[in-house]
Amino acid sequence: MTAVIDGKQVAASVIAKVKNAGEALLAETGIRPGIAVVIVGNDPASHAYVSSKAKMANECGFLSVKHELPQDTAQDELAALVDELNGDPLVHGILIQLPLPAHLNSDAIVQAILPEKDVDGLHFANAGKVVTGNLDGGLISCTPAGAMVFVRDVHGEDLSGLHALVIGRSNLFGKPMSALLLAANATVTTAHKSTRDVPSLCRLADIVVVAAGHPDLLRADWVKPGATVIDVGINRVSAPERGEGKFKLVGDVAFEEVAQVAGVITPVPGGVGPMTIAMLMANTVIAAYRKAGRRPPKF
Ligand code: NAD
């Protein structure tokens, strides 16, 4: 019988732990974890993401500050805000909502955030720590950190002897995910657009993590019976069954058929998605503990 992971429930338990840790830090040191979220421009999807992050930060009892900048914000204005937030002792985490408008250089902005406040885990210093297996020293990118919570829930901390396939090699997800699985002793293959015969590689995998942005990419006959399948993809596809012009969100896995073969599977929506915000909150509380000179909780 295939187990379907309830991402909302797992995320809620992460949030409960974040909240307790934040309250304990406040009670013991007077320090309240603080997050600053920066959004530039008018993209409605980005505004929706930022609102849900700010709402969750409030629920966690954090100090939460939102900076909304106009579409025509100049590079040096945004850089000046990052500088100001880097120096603000009440802010432990800085999140720049991506993508930024096309005239801005996102890389330069992300790399200008102090690594210890980079709660998105995108600074080279944090990415480098993940690759070198220094997982307690930096901040881990939120979506791969969330997917690893699922992997650990199913397989435990030590993945010795297990084969993992990650489909996708983005800096945001595929590369850090592969590094985290490797750090947990899995034998890891990273597939991408130029990989030959992904289905054959997939049939060897005990753990498959798909982040390609391609609906129905992973089919049942790719999957080893009993494998754990984690679907990171988020694709907006038309859904005429819901009415004319309607859309729905689907992942990269042909869920109905793969669920017949996999041992454990994550749905879209309601799988990895809710974990991303939960791990952002976890990174903020970790950053605040470190700033206070305390050992942070593990998530
Ligand atoms: P990306 O577009 O930067 O990278 C996609 C990767 O998939 C590339 O490395 C590409 O080579 C590989 N790929 C594409 N088609 C392939 C194929 N047919 N076979 C093998 N490899 C293939 O994307 P990303 O930023 O890593 O995001 C991937 C997906 O995950 C997207 O759907 C995105 O929306 C989703 N995502 C979700 C979350 C979340 O749940 N919070 C976070 C990040 C990304």
Side-chain angles (χ1 to χ4, degrees):
M1 178 79 177
T2 306
V4 180
I5 292 180
D6 182 344
K8 280 190 194 156
Q9 197 177 51
V10 181
S13 69
V14 170
I15 291 295
K17 195 168 163 187
V18 167
K19 215 172 152 183
N20 284 340
E23 282 166 3
L25 186 69
L26 182 63
E28 288 162 22
T29 66
I31 294 172
R32 184 186 292 278
I35 184 166
V37 182
V38 180
I39 179 161
V40 185
N42 318 314
D43 177 57
S46 293
H47 274 272
Y49 283 131
V50 161
S51 297
S52 52
K53 286 168 187 175
K55 187 167 160 246
M56 190 58 85
N58 284 330
E59 263 179 61
C60 289
F62 293 176
L63 178 75
S64 160
V65 194
K66 187 157 94 173
H67 292 267
E68 294 184 68
L69 304 184
Q71 178 76 20
D72 61 357
T73 299
Q75 185 83 18
D76 57 353
E77 289 174 289
L78 183 55
L81 175 60
V82 170
D83 256 5
E84 184 190 317
L85 296 172
N86 277 341
D88 186 337
L90 298 179
V91 171
H92 304 102
I94 302 171
L95 180 118
I96 308 289
Q97 184 64 38
L98 300 175
L100 289 172
H103 69 280
L104 294 170
N105 177 347
S106 315
D107 282 349
I109 294 296
V110 168
Q111 300 310 320
I113 298 171
L114 279 179
E116 57 268 35
K117 294 193 178 190
D118 165 41
V119 280
D120 239 353
L122 298 178
H123 193 284
F124 294 150
N126 286 317
K129 282 179 180 164
V130 167
V131 171
T132 52
N134 177 0
L135 302 184
D136 294 330
L139 292 165
I140 302 173
S141 175
C142 303
T143 308
M148 275 309 284
V149 171
F150 293 158
V151 171
R152 280 197 299 268
D153 281 353
V154 177
H155 296 279
E157 297 280 335
D158 185 359
L159 308 178
S160 292
L162 297 177
H163 244 101
L165 174 70
V166 178
I167 305 180
R169 61 169 167 182
S170 67
N171 291 335
L172 187 67
F173 185 82
K175 282 179 194 154
M177 187 70 211
S178 295
L180 291 172
L181 289 161
L182 192 59
N185 296 330
T187 301
V188 183
T189 303
T190 308
H192 47 82
K193 265 194 175 146
S194 308
T195 303
R196 204 178 296 158
D197 200 0
V198 181
S200 294
L201 295 170
C202 195
R203 286 182 204 110
L204 300 173
D206 305 290
I207 300 164
V208 186
V209 186
V210 201
H214 193 310
D216 287 341
L217 176 67
L218 193 89
R219 311 301 307 217
D221 64 352
W222 295 27
V223 176
K224 179 171 161 176
T228 297
V229 175
I230 296 182
D231 191 353
V232 183
I234 302 178
N235 307 290
R236 197 165 170 261
V237 297
S238 70
E241 72 278 10
R242 294 186 179 181
E244 209 186 303
K246 294 282 182 195
F247 289 86
K248 64 178 176 182
L249 294 182
V250 298
D252 289 350
V253 173
F255 184 87
E256 298 300 334
E257 60 176 65
V258 172
Q260 307 298 315
V261 185
V264 178
I265 190 166
T266 66
V268 176
V272 174
M275 292 301 285
T276 301
I277 292 188
M279 299 317 283
L280 177 69
M281 301 302 133
N283 275 346
T284 305
V285 93
I286 288 170
Y289 265 71
R290 288 190 183 139
K291 184 70 185 164
R294 304 256 166 156
R295 184 196 291 267
K298 278 189 185 285
F299 290 92

